[in-house]
Amino acid sequence: MVSKEPAKGMKDILPAEMRLRNEVLDTMREAYRSFGFEQIETPCMERIDNLSCNQGGDNEKLVFKILKRGEKLKSASGGGDASDLVDLGMRYDLTVPLSRFHAKNAQLLPSPFKAMQIGPVWRADKPQDGRFRQFYQADIDVIGDPSVNAEIELLCATSSFLGKVGLGSSMIRINDRRLLVALARACGFEEQSFAEVFVSMDKLDKIGLDGVCEELVRCGHGEKSVAAYREALSSFSKADDKLACCRALLAEAGAEDVLSDLEDVIAGVELFSEGETVPRLDLSLVRGMGYYTGTIFEVESAEFEGMSIAGGGRYDKMVGRFSGRDVAACGFSVGFERIVKILLEKACAEPSEDAIAVLYDKSLSPLEVSRLQAEWQKARDEGKTVSVQKKARNFNHQQEQLAERGFGRIVVVNKGDL
């Protein structure tokens, strides 16, 4: 039986939201282009091996897999392994496709290459408020620049965009995966268990420090290491000077170069924003993607209950998985759907005189309506929006609807006006 409902985790987009989405995308493209980022596009599907290479964290468990087709499916159906039936998957982010794209096209691209990608991704996740199984991501990446200039530019470009859409008060949290390794080592965790330790650390915002420590003990980590981790995080949270605190905590861990890089990033963004945006070092920030190798960052908005609306980091090993040669890379992904949700709640369409509704009497013939369309084409050529439509019986309601859609000028055309 057919259903009018969209598939679970998907949604229909009505014209009012679509107008806002397009406005945000136009603003985003303009902001990113002003920094020299060039837009590319990659396919919505990738080879399944590319999407399951132990780099995407839990997202690799959420891939929408695509069955083989035709004879290949028939021949694979006889085997006992379900994975033999699959050869493609829907991309779960834009970073893995970009890495493959650069490995294939590096000879045709400048170095460093500043990429902009905007498009839908898919994850077989549990749908909830603000989270869908199909959603848009908008990424900017710098490939080929190993210096912190890449991080600074990405943060500045994203801050510029957020400011243009009215979210300039958002907070940037910054950390480095190498600091996480140094912290785990300093606390005495076994090196082979670092990845598992980071998974627990990543839950700090959700279950708190006590919850993280309890989970670490349940997973079999030594109580002495867990206690050292608790003490380190407690000291860090109370410290006014976060960088100085990290230097003290990790004095024997050889992390000075990393801390100096973070200091440069923080100072660079503060200088660019004239003090309006100051990234905050947060030793608890983990980010779940396995491909991060260095700096990581997130942007939080108070208007979205402190949840992340953008995030990214450095992934210097990912491109090399496809090309056989490591290439420095750093990227930032904007949570487009969450930003649209915030702006929709704040939105109040202002009618514009450049949006004109021409309402004709029902007695007009198709030829007369066509003549009306032709008469108003000049206004369209001048950049105005002109919608020619029949005058409704409930004229007052029609006027209200047009005003809500942003039409600031209404022209009524009767039979004798032509």
Side-chain angles (χ1 to χ4, degrees):
M1 181 178 177
V2 299
S3 171
K4 65 181 180 181
E5 298 298 326
K8 188 176 181 181
M10 316 289 181
K11 71 169 187 173
D12 298 321
I13 302 175
L14 296 174
E17 180 177 342
M18 202 69 222
R19 285 193 296 274
L20 176 61
R21 293 169 76 92
N22 286 332
E23 289 172 7
V24 173
L25 288 173
D26 289 344
T27 302
M28 179 184 295
R29 291 188 181 99
E30 180 184 352
Y32 290 163
R33 283 191 192 117
S34 72
F35 281 80
F37 289 91
E38 299 181 90
Q39 190 164 359
I40 65 165
E41 187 167 315
T42 57
C44 63
M45 291 181 284
E46 290 284 337
R47 298 177 188 274
I48 194 64
D49 291 343
N50 293 354
L51 298 175
S52 52
C53 57
N54 297 321
Q55 293 295 297
D58 286 344
N59 289 330
E60 292 193 1
K61 303 174 185 176
L62 305 176
V63 175
F64 278 104
K65 297 177 180 179
I66 298 171
L67 291 175
K68 294 176 180 177
R69 287 128 333 261
E71 291 300 321
K72 289 185 177 180
L73 179 60
K74 287 182 182 179
S75 61
S77 298
D81 192 343
S83 64
D84 292 338
L85 303 176
V86 174
D87 61 351
L88 300 172
M90 305 299 287
R91 63 189 182 193
Y92 56 73
D93 74 358
L94 299 178
T95 304
V96 173
L98 173 63
S99 299
R100 179 199 54 74
F101 170 92
H102 190 274
K104 176 176 172 54
N105 299 291
Q107 299 303 316
L108 305 174
L109 300 170
S111 183
F113 178 52
K114 297 163 71 172
M116 170 179 22
Q117 274 194 100
I118 301 170
V121 298
W122 293 263
R123 295 178 189 171
D125 207 349
K126 182 179 180 180
Q128 52 186 286
D129 186 33
R131 178 175 290 179
F132 301 95
R133 289 176 168 172
Q134 175 183 312
F135 55 96
Y136 260 67
Q137 278 192 346
D139 290 13
I140 49 174
D141 295 77
V142 179
I143 301 180
D145 185 353
S147 75
V148 296
N149 293 326
E151 280 91 336
I152 294 171
E153 185 167 32
L154 289 167
L155 288 167
C156 290
T158 302
S159 295
S160 175
F161 158 66
L162 292 173
K164 291 178 186 295
V165 295
L167 297 174
S169 60
S170 301
M171 180 183 68
I172 299 174
R173 300 164 61 208
I174 187 169
N175 197 9
D176 195 295
R177 294 285 287 204
R178 292 168 295 178
L179 281 189
L180 291 171
V181 170
L183 176 63
R185 188 174 290 130
C187 291
F189 290 104
E190 295 181 6
E191 195 133 352
Q192 64 268 25
S193 69
F194 283 179
E196 184 181 75
V197 171
F198 296 158
V199 170
S200 296
M201 288 181 179
D202 199 25
K203 301 175 184 178
L204 188 64
D205 287 343
K206 297 178 181 177
I207 62 177
L209 184 56
D210 288 341
V212 169
C213 291
E214 289 170 7
E215 181 173 304
L216 288 170
V217 171
R218 282 199 307 273
C219 291
H221 299 288
E223 293 188 7
K224 185 177 179 181
S225 297
V226 174
Y229 172 72
R230 180 194 293 275
E231 184 179 348
L233 264 290
S234 297
S235 298
F236 181 83
S237 64
K238 297 171 185 175
D240 294 326
D241 188 333
K242 304 296 186 185
L243 278 165
C245 180
C246 272
R247 284 192 166 97
L249 289 171
L250 305 174
E252 306 299 323
E256 181 54 39
D257 287 347
V258 178
L259 288 167
S260 294
D261 284 348
L262 289 173
E263 195 168 25
D264 287 342
V265 172
I266 292 169
V269 175
E270 184 177 7
L271 177 65
F272 170 82
S273 66
E274 298 181 339
E276 290 188 13
T277 301
V278 182
R280 179 172 63 85
L281 178 60
D282 187 344
L283 201 54
S284 68
L285 179 63
V286 176
R287 292 195 60 78
M289 295 301 196
Y291 51 64
Y292 289 127
T293 58
T295 319
I296 50 177
F297 27 76
E298 283 189 355
V299 178
E300 292 181 355
S301 171
E303 296 176 79
F304 209 82
E305 299 178 349
M307 293 181 69
S308 171
I309 58 172
R314 182 165 285 280
Y315 54 100
D316 289 345
K317 302 292 184 181
M318 174 62 82
V319 178
R321 283 182 165 265
F322 296 95
S323 66
R325 179 178 62 87
D326 287 342
V327 179
C330 193
F332 212 157
S333 179
V334 167
F336 179 76
E337 304 293 349
R338 288 182 176 177
I339 289 174
V340 167
K341 187 175 188 296
I342 293 170
L343 297 180
L344 274 173
E345 292 169 356
K346 298 168 65 176
C348 180
E350 292 293 334
S352 169
E353 288 293 317
D354 287 336
I356 307 165
V358 179
L359 309 181
Y360 59 86
D361 187 80
K362 64 179 182 179
S363 62
L364 267 64
S365 69
L367 192 60
E368 289 172 318
V369 173
S370 297
R371 188 178 303 128
L372 199 58
Q373 292 276 21
E375 288 179 2
W376 283 95
Q377 187 56 41
K378 182 179 178 182
R380 296 188 181 108
D381 293 340
E382 293 172 350
K384 295 180 173 62
T385 298
V386 180
S387 177
V388 176
Q389 54 188 283
K390 185 169 67 175
K391 181 182 175 184
R393 181 177 298 178
N394 189 339
F395 182 50
N396 288 336
H397 181 60
Q398 186 178 27
Q399 284 181 299
E400 290 173 2
Q401 286 189 320
L402 288 167
E404 288 175 1
R405 292 165 55 197
F407 286 90
R409 183 181 170 195
I410 297 176
V411 178
V412 178
V413 179
N414 294 308
K415 183 74 172 176
D417 295 334
L418 293 175

